[in-house]
Amino acid sequence: MLAGAVVGVLSGVVVIGFYGLIDLSHLALKAWPERHVSEIPAAIFGVGLTSFGLWLAWYVARRAGVAEGQNVPDVQRAVAKRGGIISSRAVAARTFASAITLGSGASVGGEGPIAVLGAAVGSQLGRRLKFQPRHLKILVGCGAAAGIAGAFNAPFAGAFFALEEILGSFSVGAFSPVVIASVVGALTVEAVLGTRLAFHMPAIADGHHLANALLYPILGIACGLVSALYSRLDGIAPSILRRIPGPEWVRPVVGGAVVGVVGLASGGLLAGNGHLALPDEVFGGLARYVLIALAFAKMLATIISLSAGGSGGVFTPALFIGASLGGGVGTLLADIVPGDVVHPASWALVGMAGLVSGATRAPLTAIFMVFELTNDSSYVAPLMIVSVVAFVTARRFSTYGLYDGWLARRGEYLTHGYDAAIMDHLNVREAVNHVAPRVAAHLPVAAVASVMGDERVSTLPVLEETGALLGVISSQELHDVLQLPSDRRRELTAKDVVVTVTTLQSTMSLNEALAAMAAVGRDALPVVDADSDGVQRFAGMLTRGAVFSVYDRALQQFE
């Protein structure tokens, strides 16, 4: 916990430094040139500056020899597969490129790089103090939590972001230091920069009428669908932009020009100074079609900025997209639903949580983030409804979100802070119990019950004299039979009550085996293998507990 507090302070300091670097970049790349160059029309000059800025960010990362990554998914990978080790040099180069991208007016988020910066601080401190790998991972989470908390002045959201996204664990060992780091990080930034509001929510009388409980799922579905589209486009955009003819440097130049044009067409609403700032107009202050168009324009600008060579995050743009979408849907329903029930400003704010939940697959982070931005408990129920509905809808229409999608495209499959691909690489033969108790088909039911009680198992395979598998008897089936009258029960043998179930092969992966168990609702299944004559013979039993024991042993390689 003490180390977590130190990480919180250091991460807060790097947040302040990063914001200063963004301001310097914006001054050098946008503000100063636009004030001192009058010969070129402002619109054309602004587009050119964004194009130059995106090229410069690409060039800096390329010259530094920084491989792709140094983003939130890469931190997840470091926790799951590299014991929490993060390259400080690579992160520093990518951070500088991110500041250039943000300062040039490109559409990326600053809070993603801040989370990575904090994670790198935690990793570096943990290695200097020679922490064990499992503790080093927690310090990485502490740094990410402190970064997010400092950026948004939201310690709850910072802590849940680290626990939900980075560590994938709410264990007591991780919870306490992460919370401490998050609080300390937020206080450190607030002490220097003060309380910063991303937007000002207008006061709304009775803004959450009971009728909204029936209407908010509509917003959740809309956010889920747009989140799925966001994730899918983010996955295919790089391959599309690689088709641009010419040398590699042409891609950021063209991409930056397109982003500049999109920002110009938005009337300046999509153009920022590199910091999170949502214009008041997106909270229902424009026509519904304009707000919805802004949501898709922001999505397009963000995807192009990152795919063309820029550096930055996707979290903050998701807030803008959600606010615009929520404001647009709210404005539409306000015209349809009679009475003063739907308030577009409230729907815009709740839409922020819905989009973040669906796009990042982190509903708890989304709920706490927006709640802390509003500091209004009346938003809790709407935030929960919309976030959960958006999360479920997004998963239905897109297998992966923004973070796990980035990893999946590189052959990485992580879940709950660990490498989910381990389950695909382990086979049933590594967990099967070849000497599992079994019973003969002719054995009386009373004897079967005795074997089950003596061996302390809940499922027994039933074999014929030839060794062929007939099926299994579980404790539930046996219980039902034992309720029969004694004279009827004495006549029954194992063959009379056996149940045919799905069988497993030794060559199957543990992932496939678990899926088979879940499909039939059983915690144990028989394993059969073909002998030299091609006859399927009983090889043993596989239990869910044995699967996870083997999995736990495999995970120790990363600790």
Side-chain angles (χ1 to χ4, degrees), residues 197-205 207-208 216 278-285 323 327 343-352 370-376 378-379 383:
L197 296 177
F199 49 85
H200 297 275
M201 270 302 296
I204 300 174
H208 303 293
Y216 274 126
L278 301 180
D280 293 341
E281 291 88 346
V282 301
F283 291 92
H343 298 272
S346 294
W347 279 58
L349 192 141
V350 175
M352 294 165 61
V370 179
F371 167 67
E372 287 187 281
L373 290 175
T374 63
N375 197 28
D376 186 346
S378 65
Y379 279 98
L383 289 172

Side-chain angles (χ1 to χ4, degrees), residues 351-537:
M352 294 165 61
L355 212 295
V356 169
S357 175
T360 66
R361 308 297 164 88
L364 288 177
T365 299
I367 292 168
F368 279 104
M369 174 72 70
V370 179
F371 167 67
E372 287 187 281
L373 290 175
T374 63
N375 197 28
D376 186 346
S377 60
S378 65
Y379 279 98
V380 172
L383 289 172
M384 294 174 70
I385 294 171
V386 173
S387 295
V388 170
V389 173
F391 174 75
V392 173
T393 304
R395 290 188 60 181
R396 173 64 181 82
F397 289 93
S398 179
T399 305
Y400 301 107
L402 294 173
Y403 294 154
D404 54 354
W406 187 91
L407 290 166
R409 291 191 293 275
R410 289 152 182 80
E412 305 281 359
Y413 302 93
L414 310 180
T415 181
H416 301 302
Y418 296 111
D419 184 7
I422 290 177
M423 298 292 276
D424 290 317
H425 300 320
L426 296 174
N427 293 326
V428 167
R429 67 168 59 93
E430 299 177 63
V432 63
N433 181 6
H434 293 288
V435 295
R438 64 211 65 187
V439 295
H442 59 78
L443 199 67
V445 167
V448 173
S450 178
V451 172
M452 189 173 288
D454 293 341
E455 298 290 345
R456 297 178 180 274
V457 294
S458 60
T459 303
L460 284 171
V462 179
L463 306 183
E464 293 181 337
E465 293 182 3
T466 60
L469 178 72
L470 278 179
V472 300
I473 299 176
S474 71
S475 56
Q476 182 59 50
E477 283 112 26
L478 190 61
H479 176 270
D480 294 340
V481 172
L482 293 178
Q483 303 305 309
L484 297 173
S486 57
D487 55 341
R488 172 73 179 123
R489 192 170 61 240
R490 282 194 295 269
E491 299 174 359
L492 298 176
T493 63
K495 187 175 183 179
D496 298 319
V497 296
V498 70
V499 176
T500 302
V501 294
T502 301
T503 58
L504 306 175
Q505 302 287 332
S506 295
T507 55
M508 294 173 64
S509 70
L510 293 185
N511 222 4
E512 294 172 317
L514 279 179
M517 290 181 187
V520 296
R522 291 182 177 269
D523 291 329
L525 287 176
V527 180
V528 296
D529 286 325
D531 59 17
S532 57
D533 299 326
V535 179
Q536 297 289 331
R537 302 288 183 183

Side-chain angles (χ1 to χ4, degrees), residues 39 83 104 109 164 170-171 214 258 282 303 307 320 366 442 445 463 524:
E39 294 80 7
S104 68
E164 190 174 24
F170 289 86
S171 65
L214 301 176
V258 173
V282 301
I303 292 171
S307 301
F320 188 106
H442 59 78
V445 167
L463 306 183

